[in-house]
């Protein structure tokens, strides 16, 4: 029968089970004989229920159904053999009662078998889960403890019931409170990583953590507060003392069970973060040193920037002052020329002041003053500022503007500084160019993304690949007396306001610098 799935799938039946099954079948045969060949007028067929009950522990669900079918068939056969096809109401009622009893018994046995199988499966899964948990617990490289928090929880609940609302204040007023709590938390189990963290101690020596918790550590009290406030978990940094007296910094994690009955086995995890904290401390110290070096570098860059940007207006001041002195030395003095030179001195002094204010605003959090700037007018004004230098070097200057370009919203002095730098570089780049070919061409046209492009093209030798590669890097210069800050400062100023500055060689020769300025102000 085992081959047909009628008997429970065990390796072998015990002698007791074999005897019970044999007795059940013998009882079924005896009942069939008595019900068929004797004149006993009673519901003997009902006793087939005993056969089903005796076989319930041995047969499978399929075997039970088959045995119930056999018993019902035997009862029907006995009825036919004893009464034929003639109707006998009393006998028919006895048969019906017997069949009903067998059907109900069969269903109850099947239900119990299924419940028993489910219970067996549940216990098997539970055992398997416990084995997996124990394997993870023992083999994990994370320090794990199983601790009994039931006693300390009961202590904290009692304090709450007695009216304690601030556990930290209670701990300050009761110096022995922490020690009492530690004594109420025995260690149930600890894995190898936990024993290693404490200094390769014996598992029998960690039944209490009193020896390993630092005296001045506040993390344990925070853990007690978490339990006191009925929180679901706790995480905090603390320190422990290993068996050799070394202090280790750890990250403590505890998850509290929802069922208070499970507080007798709470998992506690510890992560050794000593090296991480030391590295972080070293990083903070390095950042502080870097900030100090950065401030020193900022002062140096600011000094270089001011030296570069103030060079032109200060040079103009000297020239205009010398010119004014020559006009005064004439006999009689040319007062009109003196007045013009004085106006230029005031103008250049104001430019120097504006440069300083602009540089300060870039280093501070103050919002710069934006104004509506006509780029054509600004180019013309800048050309006038450099008129003497352009004339001295015999340089032609022309400007073209695409019709319909509106004014831009920008910091006027910053744009003018950029233009002066580009025009000055162009003048210096054409030093070896024949005078009749020296020219600076400025083109103003619309660009993408709601911006205006200003292109400055000179007729010099152009830019070599090596120069183009490092052109906008600070302190990169091709001039013997240059600081290499001008173009780097220009690009930084434009990018701070949403613009750009690029450089390339023109198809017709010479260098081409292109600056873009957004039409609308960029809000940072």
């Amino acid at each position: 029968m085992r081959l047909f799935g009628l008997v429970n799938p065990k390796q072998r039946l015990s002698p007791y089970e074999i005897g019970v099954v044999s007795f059940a079948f013998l009882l079924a045969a005896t009942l069939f004989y008595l019900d068929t060949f004797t004149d006993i007028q009673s519901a003997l067929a009902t006793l087939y229920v005993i056969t089903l009950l005796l076989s319930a522990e041995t047969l499978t669900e399929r075997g039970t159904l088959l045995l119930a079918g056999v018993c019902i068939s035997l009862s029907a056969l006995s009825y036919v053999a004893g009464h034929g096809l003639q109707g006998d109401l009393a006998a028919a009622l006895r048969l019906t009662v017997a069949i009903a009893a067998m059907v109900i018994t069969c269903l109850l046995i099947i239900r119990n078998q299924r419940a028993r199988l489910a219970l067996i499966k549940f216990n098997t899964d539970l055992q398997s889960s416990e084995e997996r948990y124990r394997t993870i617990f023992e083999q994990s490289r994370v320090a794990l403890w199983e601790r009994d928090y039931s006693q300390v929880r009961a202590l904290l609940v009692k304090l709450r019931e007695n009216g304690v609302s601030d556990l930290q204040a209670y701990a300050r007023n009761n110096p022995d409170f922490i020690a009492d709590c530690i004594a109420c938390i025995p260690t149930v189990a600890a894995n190898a990583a936990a024993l290693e963290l404490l200094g390769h101690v014996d598992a029998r020596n960690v039944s209490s953590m009193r020896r390993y918790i630092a005296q001045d550590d506040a993390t344990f009290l925070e853990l007690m507060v978490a339990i006191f406030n009925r929180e679901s978990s706790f995480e905090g940094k603390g320190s422990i003392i290993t068996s050799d007296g070394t202090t280790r910094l750890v990250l403590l994690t505890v998850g509290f069970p929802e069922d208070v009955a499970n507080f007798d086995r709470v998992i506690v995890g510890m992560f050794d973060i000593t090296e991480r904290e030391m590295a972080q401390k070293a990083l903070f110290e390095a950042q502080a040193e870097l900030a100090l070096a950065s401030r020193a570098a900022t002062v140096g860059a600011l000094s270089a920037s001011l030296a570069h940007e103030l060079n032109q207006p200060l040079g103009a001041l000297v020239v205009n002052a010398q010119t004014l002195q020559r006009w005064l030395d004439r006999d009689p003095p040319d007062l009109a020329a003196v007045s013009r030179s004085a106006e230029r001195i005031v103008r250049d002094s104001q430019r120097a002041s504006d440069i300083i204010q602009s540089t300060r605003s870039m280093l501070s959090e103050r919002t710069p003053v934006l104004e509506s700037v006509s780029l054509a007018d600004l180019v013309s004004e800048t050309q006038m500022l450099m008129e003497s230098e352009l004339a001295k070097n015999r340089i032609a200057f022309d400007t073209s503007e695409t019709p319909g370009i509106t004014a831009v919203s920008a910091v006027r002095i910053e744009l003018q500084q950029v233009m002066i730098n580009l025009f000055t570089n162009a003048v210096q780049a054409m030093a070896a160019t024949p005078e009749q070919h020296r020219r600076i061409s400025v083109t103003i046209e619309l660009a993408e993304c709601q911006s205006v492009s200003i292109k400055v093209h000179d007729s010099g030798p152009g830019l070599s690949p090596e120069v183009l590669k490092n052109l906008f890097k600070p302190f990169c210069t091709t001039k013997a007396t240059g600081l290499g800050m001008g173009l780097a400062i220009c690009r930084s100023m434009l990018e701070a306001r949403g613009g750009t500055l690029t450089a390339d060689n023109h198809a017709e020769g010479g260098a081409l610098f292109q600056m873009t300025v957004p039409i609308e102000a960029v809000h940072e």
Side-chain angles (χ1 to χ4, degrees):
M1 287 191 297
R2 182 175 300 166
L3 296 176
F4 296 97
L6 302 179
V7 180
N8 284 331
K10 298 191 295 183
Q11 292 184 359
R12 52 185 291 179
L13 294 176
S14 66
Y16 171 76
E17 290 174 329
I18 294 175
V20 171
V21 172
S22 300
F23 177 75
F25 279 96
L26 179 61
L27 176 61
T30 303
L31 291 174
F32 176 74
Y33 175 79
L34 295 175
D35 196 22
T36 304
F37 301 107
T38 65
D39 295 331
I40 300 175
Q41 300 295 321
S42 62
L44 287 175
T46 306
L47 298 178
Y48 281 114
V49 169
I50 300 175
T51 301
L52 293 172
L53 294 174
L54 289 174
S55 304
E57 296 294 328
T58 305
L59 300 179
T60 62
E61 182 177 322
R62 180 180 176 184
T64 301
L65 289 172
L66 180 60
L67 180 59
V70 170
C71 292
I72 291 173
S73 299
L74 291 176
S75 299
L77 183 61
S78 297
Y79 174 81
V80 172
H83 303 283
L85 299 178
Q86 298 178 354
D88 186 338
L89 181 59
L93 288 175
R94 289 195 296 272
L95 177 63
T96 302
V97 170
I99 292 175
M102 285 185 281
V103 169
I104 293 172
T105 302
C106 178
L107 294 177
L108 291 175
I109 290 173
I110 290 174
R111 188 188 70 176
N112 289 339
Q113 285 178 339
R114 291 179 178 178
R116 183 170 60 86
L117 291 175
L119 182 60
I120 292 174
K121 183 177 183 302
F122 174 79
N123 288 333
T124 302
D125 292 343
L126 183 62
Q127 183 178 2
S128 177
S129 177
E130 178 68 20
E131 290 177 356
R132 287 196 300 271
Y133 161 76
R134 187 53 55 185
T135 300
I136 294 173
F137 182 86
E138 293 294 342
Q139 298 183 1
S140 174
R141 294 309 303 157
V142 177
L144 297 176
W145 279 267
E146 273 187 332
R147 291 180 182 156
D148 185 353
Y149 280 85
S150 58
Q151 299 179 47
V152 77
R153 182 185 176 280
L155 174 62
L156 297 176
V157 169
K158 186 177 180 180
L159 290 177
R160 179 184 289 277
E161 292 174 350
N162 291 337
V164 176
S165 58
D166 188 344
L167 191 64
Q168 292 183 333
Y170 179 83
R172 287 193 298 269
N173 298 328
N174 296 270
D176 296 333
F177 172 72
I178 296 297
D180 293 341
C181 289
I182 295 175
C184 291
I185 307 176
T187 298
V188 179
N191 67 359
L195 301 177
E196 181 181 346
L197 177 62
L198 296 181
H200 300 281
V201 299
D202 193 301
R204 292 170 295 182
N205 297 332
V206 293
S207 58
S208 174
M209 290 295 294
R210 185 193 300 270
R211 157 72 177 77
Y212 305 100
I213 297 178
Q215 295 295 325
D216 56 347
D217 184 62
T219 308
F220 184 82
L221 178 58
E222 294 173 0
L223 173 61
M224 295 299 99
V225 171
I227 300 176
F228 185 79
N229 294 333
R230 301 188 180 93
E231 297 179 10
S232 59
S233 61
F234 172 78
E235 180 176 309
K237 295 180 182 179
S239 56
I240 59 173
I241 307 298
T242 62
S243 58
D244 60 359
T246 304
T247 300
R248 308 291 295 178
L249 300 177
V250 296
L251 178 65
L252 179 68
T253 61
V254 185
F256 303 114
E258 295 182 1
D259 188 354
V260 297
N262 294 328
F263 265 78
D264 59 342
R265 293 184 68 178
V266 176
I267 299 298
V268 179
M270 281 189 186
F271 302 85
D272 188 352
I273 59 173
T274 305
E275 294 182 0
R276 188 190 78 177
E277 292 295 310
M278 292 176 64
Q280 192 171 34
K281 181 181 178 182
L283 176 61
F284 288 155
E285 292 175 353
Q287 287 176 337
E289 294 178 1
L290 180 61
L292 183 60
S294 177
R295 285 196 294 270
T298 300
V299 172
L302 177 59
S303 301
S305 172
L306 288 175
H308 182 278
E309 297 302 319
L310 290 175
N311 183 60
Q312 198 277 337
L314 291 178
L317 282 170
V318 172
V319 171
N320 287 320
Q322 292 172 343
T323 303
L324 182 147
Q325 189 174 14
R326 285 199 302 270
W327 293 124
L328 285 174
D329 290 340
R330 285 197 174 190
D331 188 17
D334 190 340
L335 297 182
V338 168
S339 178
R340 289 194 299 271
S341 296
E343 289 176 356
R344 293 191 186 99
I345 290 174
V346 172
R347 180 195 65 191
D348 292 331
S349 299
Q350 184 60 46
R351 284 193 57 243
S353 176
D354 291 343
I355 289 172
I356 294 174
Q357 292 299 325
S358 176
T359 305
R360 290 183 61 187
S361 67
M362 290 177 65
L363 295 175
S364 65
E365 297 180 354
R366 291 183 299 173
T367 303
V369 178
L370 301 177
E371 55 184 306
S372 180
V373 179
S374 169
L375 293 177
D377 293 344
L378 188 61
V379 170
S380 178
E381 180 184 326
T382 307
Q383 178 188 356
M384 292 178 62
L385 288 173
M386 299 188 63
E387 184 177 4
S388 61
E389 190 169 355
L390 293 172
K392 182 178 67 176
N393 289 278
R394 304 287 195 275
I395 296 175
F397 193 98
D398 61 76
T399 305
S400 63
E401 180 182 16
T402 303
I405 295 181
T406 60
V408 297
S409 181
V411 182
R412 185 183 189 88
I413 185 62
E414 291 181 358
L415 291 184
Q416 193 169 65
Q417 282 180 261
V418 176
M419 289 183 183
I420 290 175
N421 270 282
L422 296 182
F423 296 167
T424 302
N425 287 344
V427 170
Q428 295 171 350
M430 293 185 289
T433 303
E435 292 183 0
Q436 64 272 22
H437 297 304
R438 296 177 185 177
R439 176 176 296 275
I440 296 177
S441 300
V442 179
T443 305
I444 305 173
E445 58 188 12
L446 287 173
E448 298 178 353
C449 303
Q450 292 294 309
S451 60
V452 179
S453 168
I454 305 97
K455 297 178 180 178
V456 179
H457 173 215
D458 64 57
S459 57
L463 303 168
S464 67
E466 184 64 27
V467 171
L468 272 175
K469 181 180 177 182
N470 302 302
L471 190 60
F472 294 102
K473 293 182 178 179
F475 306 107
C476 175
T477 181
T478 58
K479 306 168 190 174
T481 59
L483 290 174
M485 293 295 298
L487 291 176
I489 295 170
C490 290
R491 172 176 272 189
S492 298
M493 285 194 296
L494 286 175
E495 290 180 347
R497 311 300 178 212
T500 61
L501 177 61
T502 58
D504 205 346
N505 288 313
H506 197 277
E508 299 178 359
L512 175 65
F513 285 83
Q514 179 177 351
M515 54 186 288
T516 61
V517 182
I519 295 174
E520 297 293 334
V522 177
H523 301 284
E524 298 181 357

